[in-house]
Amino acid sequence: MDVVLWGVLPYLAVVILVTGTIWRYRYDRFGWTTRSSQLYESRLLRIGSPLFHFGILIVIIGHIGGLVVPKSWTEALGVNEDLYHFNALFFGTIAGIATLAGLAILIYRRRTTGPVFMATTTNDKAMYVLLVGALVLGLWTTLVAVGAGHDAHDYRETVSPWFRSLFVLQPDVDAMAAAPIQFHLHVLVALLLFTVWPFTRLVHAFTAPLHYLFRPYIVYRSRDLPAGTGARAPRPGWSPVGTRDRTK
Amino acid sequence: MRVMAQMGMVMNLDKCIGCHTCSVTCKQAWTNRAGTEYVWFNNVETRPGLGYPRRHEDQEKWRGGWTVDGRGRLRLRAGGRLKKLLTIFSSPVQPEIKDYYEPWTYDYATLVDAPLGDDFPVARPKSLITGEDTKVTWSANWDDNLGGGPEHAPFDPIVERLRAESNEKIKFEFEQTFMFYLPRICEHCLNPSCMASCPSGAIYKRSEDGIVLVDQDRCRGWRQCITGCPYKKIYFNHKSGKAEKCTFCYPRIEVGLPTVCSETCVGRLRYLGLFLYDADAVTAAASVPEQELYEAQMDLLLDPNDPEVLREARAQGIPEDWLDAAQRSPVYALAKKYRVALPLHPEYRTMPMVWYVPPLSPVVDLLTEQGHDAESTATLFGAIEALRIPIEYLAELFTAGDTEVVDGVLRKLAAMRAYLRDITLGRDPDDSIPASVGMSGEELYEMYRLMAIAKYEERYVIPKAHVEQAHDLEEMGCSLDYDEGPGMYDSGPLGEASGRPAPVAVETFHALRQRQTSDEATTEESLRGRVNLLNWDGNGRPDGLFPKRRS
Ligand code: HEM
Ligand code: SF4
Ligand code: SF4
């Protein structure tokens, strides 16, 4: 059982996440959008959306810090257990609560603003259930840890090694199995969320437009772009006439 | 110098009768789809008036276009790249549907189904956004013909500015006011701020003809372009979650046909043709002080008869037939040769490429009303001088407030009237008239020919796109060429409007053939359950035209 949950499931999720994203990018670029609802309602969105997004970005950075950086490294830097824990819990709780509050505002807005509710698909609803689930469970692990004070379970000795071991294809199933139930649930829901990710509106996060900082303001594009640089490759049956060395 | 070609349009406002045919035919062609109910790529505004979306010219509020900073560098008014990314999660200044208007249809079924009674049945308005009953309180041209004048028109941002600047009050009482119509489409700017605002880089300018398009496959719905465009000519398709805009009817332009709005204009007031411009000089031209913008924009337009320009253009690979078209271009003639067409709001610094011949009619109307001879230069010139308010208003629209330029244009139009009257009546033409506006008699006559009686081929000089590129043109994955293949817009498993787009050419072909050859009425299926008076072909009574009968 443990092997299935912590040895097989994570790889399954990653495979679906990656192939799903590639498939979606190739098949459905037109559907790849934030599906912004600001046209319908702006007031609540302007509070909820930044709160949620900045929150979740900090949460993501925190996860990377906690899961990827081994304990020995931070200790070598002179960050002791207490300091680390205090920071993690303090910022984790704040970011988690901000994210949840933002999401609560967004969901309230979705439910109560007529046009926004009309534009909410079943897909959205399922995504929200998983997103809220992962967030609430994650916050629960944090709050349990806050409550337990010094006796808190140190996930950096169970979850983190397991997480890193996944990347070297030697999943440390026992380490993860030793973590308490709230971590198990949180990870399972998160894995589920990653599995459906490519098929929801969440794909927008993968195309975060950071290249905007570097591209020129004015974009010229020719009508006769060589194949491949256009958004779409030429259709079958439209290949240009000529020998290979003469056509582009 | 990097010579590029640009399709441009000129509209002669004196001829616009405000019939909205252009708007309706454009809507039929391009935005007759779920998600774009409120979208008018072409709209006709009565000025003075609020416009569509309401008060879109108030850039203090909407923050569209460019400004120059203290060091004279061009900046997006809504903020730089970093600021845009930091505020991307909710756009600070995006118009909401209420700033446009809430689109609606009517519950026509009650007219037919209502039980016999004493009361006349009423078709209630239904919102196309919520599907609920609604109250119609605004539309894309609610203040048409100054409707509700004293109530709305004073809130025209230009009227407000004039009042603040000159303390003059534009009167909206019926006998004392003036008005004219202003058809607006995307300006296909040389320095588009919509494009500069797009984080994804999905908006692009075609290097062959300068048409500005949104790549629907690259747009991710960050909706920054809507804020970026000062003319508010980028719209958000609330079904597909992507930005859409006027396409300059590129599939028609490519085969040498005029845009739908031009083709269907009853006043024949639109001209289409090529400009040659220097792409390397655009940013510098857009950065000059406000009062010099008009001249800077004129300097960008290159003389298509200048041998050096031609040499440079050939070096850039612009084909011969395009250069020939540029030489015959009616828009170049009106904008630069005769200098009677002006850009709309040059102060937005986007270098717009849809130009307007300002209307002389407010002046003429007033003179005629007062019993003067509205065709003599003396009275016309005098009136142009005396009628400060309309002139200042036009200057705010077309020259960033510089009345001298508008004055000059109106004088040319007045001179043309007077000069041609003599010719028409068989009198000796008075050569002092063209001289008074710095033109020769022949020039003025040529201008008259172009403005008054030019035929189809002279008004629309559109070189065809080159067939060598035909297969790329067919489907280059740009713009709006996706709409409604069968099943589009249904809520697919990946959200609304997911799946492969049907190419526009194929889609149009099938739709047209189906319409022209089918013996049956449109069905609910073919209309995807949404029938309104725009997508119904008038044939039969498809399901969905009326709501289901209550049994
Ligand atoms: C850094 C990259 C990201 C950017 C630039 C971004 C941007 C956006 C934008 C522009 C919207 C549309 C808001 C609107 O106008 O309606 C949106 C919506 C949304 N985003 Fe993101 N996002 C990012 C990352 C994420 C991540 C990592 C998640 C979740 C884990 C997420 C979850 C959501 C959700 C749930 C919505 C829908 C909000 C609603 O309308 O109810 N986003 N995002
Ligand atoms: S007018 Fe057209 S090209 Fe210019 S900024 Fe607006 S949408 Fe872009
Ligand atoms: S050029 Fe075409 S798309 Fe643009 S406003 Fe005119 S008819 Fe509409």
Side-chain angles (χ1 to χ4, degrees):
Chain A
M1 183 65 187
D2 279 342
V3 174
V4 172
L5 287 183
W6 318 121
V8 178
L9 219 55
Y11 292 109
L12 217 58
V14 168
V15 168
I16 295 179
L17 176 66
V18 172
T19 50
T21 305
I22 294 172
W23 170 80
R24 176 121 191 235
Y25 190 74
R26 297 176 62 136
Y27 165 74
D28 184 35
R29 235 169 289 179
F30 180 59
W32 194 296
T33 149
T34 62
R35 310 232 338 271
S36 163
S37 51
Q38 190 162 5
L39 187 68
Y40 303 135
E41 201 275 353
S42 197
R43 205 173 48 85
L44 283 172
L45 185 84
R46 294 209 44 204
I47 310 169
S49 183
L51 202 59
F52 166 75
H53 278 97
F54 283 120
I56 194 98
L57 291 180
I58 294 174
V59 167
I60 290 172
I61 293 170
H63 274 70
I64 293 173
L67 291 175
V68 177
V69 182
K71 197 170 175 181
S72 51
W73 291 17
T74 46
E75 265 161 17
L77 283 176
V79 183
N80 69 19
E81 178 66 30
D82 281 348
L83 183 61
Y84 182 89
H85 231 79
F86 173 77
N87 271 329
L89 295 186
F90 184 71
F91 290 110
T93 313
I94 290 185
I97 287 176
T99 313
L100 205 60
L103 197 57
I105 295 175
L106 287 176
I107 293 176
Y108 170 78
R109 164 178 179 272
R110 246 175 211 280
R111 185 64 197 86
T112 54
T113 315
V116 187
F117 188 54
M118 288 244 313
T120 307
T121 58
T122 322
N123 182 310
D124 285 338
K125 289 175 195 160
M127 181 273 294
Y128 273 112
V129 169
L130 289 178
L131 194 58
V132 172
L135 265 173
V136 169
L137 289 168
L139 213 54
W140 180 34
T141 63
T142 311
L143 293 181
V144 168
V146 172
H150 272 290
D151 311 326
H153 173 78
D154 188 358
Y155 58 84
R156 295 217 294 165
E157 287 178 349
T158 54
V159 186
S160 306
W162 165 76
F163 181 76
R164 288 194 297 273
S165 70
L166 290 174
F167 289 89
V168 292
L169 303 182
Q170 307 262 315
D172 189 349
V173 175
D174 296 335
M176 186 60 199
I181 176 81
Q182 67 267 28
F183 286 97
H184 287 168
L185 289 178
H186 175 57
V187 168
L188 283 180
V189 174
L191 286 179
L192 206 57
L193 182 65
F194 293 144
T195 314
V196 302
W197 195 290
F199 314 103
T200 65
R201 61 149 44 158
L202 291 182
V203 284
H204 72 269
F206 292 153
T207 45
L210 289 176
H211 56 287
Y212 182 45
L213 293 173
F214 311 105
R215 74 166 180 84
Y217 267 150
I218 306 300
V219 181
Y220 294 103
R221 245 168 82 179
S222 170
R223 289 190 300 215
D224 65 342
L225 286 175
T229 44
R232 245 186 251 152
R235 292 301 158 100
W238 284 103
S239 337
V241 175
T243 53
R244 189 177 303 180
D245 55 328
R246 302 292 299 280
T247 55
K248 275 182 257 172
Chain B
M1 184 156 69
R2 184 159 55 108
V3 180
M4 291 183 92
Q6 166 79 40
M7 267 324 273
M9 186 186 284
V10 170
M11 302 191 211
N12 183 354
L13 295 186
D14 259 334
K15 294 189 184 180
C16 183
I17 58 170
C19 68
H20 301 273
T21 305
C22 47
S23 309
V24 172
T25 50
C26 172
K27 192 158 191 35
Q28 275 282 35
W30 290 106
T31 57
N32 181 15
R33 292 169 282 135
T36 57
E37 304 91 344
Y38 76 100
V39 173
W40 298 85
F41 288 166
N42 183 113
N43 74 297
V44 183
E45 298 172 359
T46 301
R47 305 313 296 265
L50 296 187
Y52 155 83
R54 248 175 286 187
R55 289 173 55 82
H56 61 87
E57 282 158 319
D58 181 359
Q59 302 307 339
E60 291 302 312
K61 171 147 198 252
W62 299 116
R63 316 208 65 75
W66 306 85
T67 51
V68 282
D69 66 7
R71 282 188 285 164
R73 284 179 311 182
L74 209 52
R75 289 275 172 270
L76 283 175
R77 192 190 286 269
R81 299 166 196 257
L82 200 60
K83 179 171 174 206
K84 279 197 172 290
L85 286 193
L86 288 176
T87 53
I88 199 170
F89 304 120
S90 71
S91 181
V93 276
Q94 192 194 323
E96 282 177 44
I97 194 82
K98 66 173 173 10
D99 294 304
Y100 300 89
Y101 70 100
E102 189 172 353
W104 73 92
T105 182
Y106 290 97
D107 177 15
Y108 294 106
T110 40
L111 299 185
V112 184
D113 294 349
L116 200 60
D118 291 337
D119 300 323
F120 202 75
V122 177
R124 268 170 312 171
K126 294 262 183 203
S127 165
L128 285 173
I129 297 286
T130 61
E132 308 287 321
D133 282 347
T134 187
K135 216 174 116 189
V136 178
T137 56
W138 197 257
S139 79
N141 55 340
W142 196 255
D143 52 356
D144 213 15
N145 293 343
L146 292 183
E151 195 185 323
H152 301 306
F155 296 103
D156 174 341
I158 295 184
V159 172
E160 277 183 352
R161 184 149 8 122
L162 286 183
R163 185 178 316 146
E165 271 165 19
S166 57
N167 246 330
E168 279 180 295
K169 197 156 174 247
I170 298 189
K171 300 215 171 58
F172 291 103
E173 286 82 40
F174 186 66
E175 268 95 23
Q176 291 160 296
T177 192
F178 69 97
M179 70 169 208
F180 58 94
Y181 303 104
L182 181 72
R184 293 200 310 123
I185 70 172
C186 163
E187 301 282 338
H188 296 273
C189 309
L190 296 185
N191 185 35
S193 51
C194 58
M195 190 182 290
S197 308
C198 172
S200 301
I203 304 180
Y204 63 97
K205 198 167 178 63
R206 303 215 296 191
S207 43
E208 286 84 356
D209 52 17
I211 295 178
V212 176
L213 295 173
V214 183
D215 183 337
Q216 293 289 313
D217 275 353
R218 285 198 196 177
C219 172
R220 303 273 171 257
W222 308 119
R223 42 146 170 59
Q224 303 292 322
C225 52
I226 299 163
T227 311
C229 173
Y231 303 92
K232 290 292 167 278
K233 277 295 169 189
I234 298 234
Y235 302 88
F236 194 76
N237 178 326
H238 61 95
K239 287 275 178 218
S240 70
K242 305 231 162 175
E244 293 190 12
K245 66 182 287 301
C246 154
T247 62
F248 217 80
C249 292
Y250 73 93
R252 291 175 59 93
I253 293 287
E254 279 168 5
V255 293
L257 292 174
T259 68
V260 168
C261 51
S262 308
E263 174 91 88
T264 58
C265 174
V266 290
R268 301 183 179 180
L269 57 89
R270 299 196 189 206
Y271 298 79
L272 293 168
L274 282 184
F275 291 112
L276 296 181
Y277 72 102
D278 180 2
D280 284 339
V282 171
T283 308
S287 316
V288 302
E290 197 162 289
Q291 292 303 325
E292 295 160 28
L293 277 167
Y294 168 66
E295 282 305 325
Q297 185 160 344
M298 295 301 271
D299 289 343
L300 276 182
L301 306 181
L302 302 170
D303 179 356
N305 291 307
D306 178 344
E308 200 189 323
V309 170
L310 289 175
R311 181 157 14 91
E312 214 36 62
R314 288 187 183 109
Q316 300 289 335
I318 299 179
E320 280 314 309
D321 52 338
W322 280 56
L323 295 179
D324 175 55
Q327 286 165 348
R328 291 183 291 121
S329 166
V331 295
Y332 178 81
L334 291 171
K336 188 136 179 195
K337 190 163 159 213
Y338 305 127
R339 288 186 169 246
V340 287
L342 302 172
L344 180 64
H345 287 301
E347 73 274 19
Y348 297 161
R349 299 177 184 275
T350 61
M351 302 278 136
M353 282 295 127
V354 173
W355 304 63
Y356 294 88
V357 179
L360 188 62
S361 48
V363 179
V364 175
D365 289 349
L366 212 92
L367 287 181
T368 325
E369 230 155 67
Q370 295 172 351
H372 295 294
D373 174 7
E375 264 155 47
S376 102
T377 28
T379 35
L380 274 171
F381 281 7
I384 291 173
E385 222 132 80
L387 286 177
R388 294 322 304 164
I389 294 184
I391 310 286
E392 272 171 29
Y393 190 94
L394 292 173
E396 289 291 337
L397 272 183
F398 299 119
T399 58
D402 184 351
T403 48
E404 226 168 276
V405 175
V406 174
D407 229 277
V409 173
L410 293 185
R411 275 164 189 270
K412 277 184 197 159
L413 298 179
M416 185 175 84
R417 269 179 96 87
Y419 185 66
L420 257 295
R421 176 166 67 169
D422 288 343
I423 294 181
T424 322
L425 296 181
R427 300 190 204 140
D428 271 348
D430 175 0
D431 277 325
S432 73
I433 297 179
S436 68
V437 291
M439 293 172 93
S440 71
E442 280 104 79
E443 264 185 315
L444 201 57
Y445 189 77
E446 273 306 303
M447 179 170 116
Y448 152 78
R449 271 195 49 79
L450 183 55
M451 294 187 64
I453 53 178
K455 294 280 175 271
Y456 194 87
E457 301 75 35
E458 294 164 83
R459 280 182 284 129
Y460 309 131
V461 181
I462 308 165
K464 292 194 180 108
H466 275 252
V467 274
E468 305 90 85
Q469 308 156 352
H471 77 98
D472 293 315
L473 288 177
E474 178 64 20
E475 284 323 324
M476 86 190 229
C478 59
S479 65
L480 299 178
D481 60 359
Y482 59 86
D483 52 338
E484 45 209 51
M488 282 271 112
Y489 284 137
D490 293 336
S491 209
L494 305 179
E496 278 174 292
S498 57
R500 274 240 189 243
V504 76
V506 178
E507 188 265 334
T508 318
F509 172 74
H510 286 301
L512 284 179
R513 193 180 56 173
Q514 194 187 6
R515 236 185 215 201
Q516 285 163 359
T517 57
S518 97
D519 295 329
E520 275 140 45
T522 35
T523 59
E524 179 159 32
E525 207 178 318
S526 68
L527 298 172
R528 296 179 328 288
R530 276 176 175 264
V531 183
N532 58 43
L533 291 182
L534 288 178
N535 71 4
W536 175 45
D537 62 1
N539 192 359
R541 198 192 125 177
D543 298 340
L545 184 62
F546 303 113
K548 291 254 170 341
R549 220 179 264 270
R550 283 178 292 267
S551 46

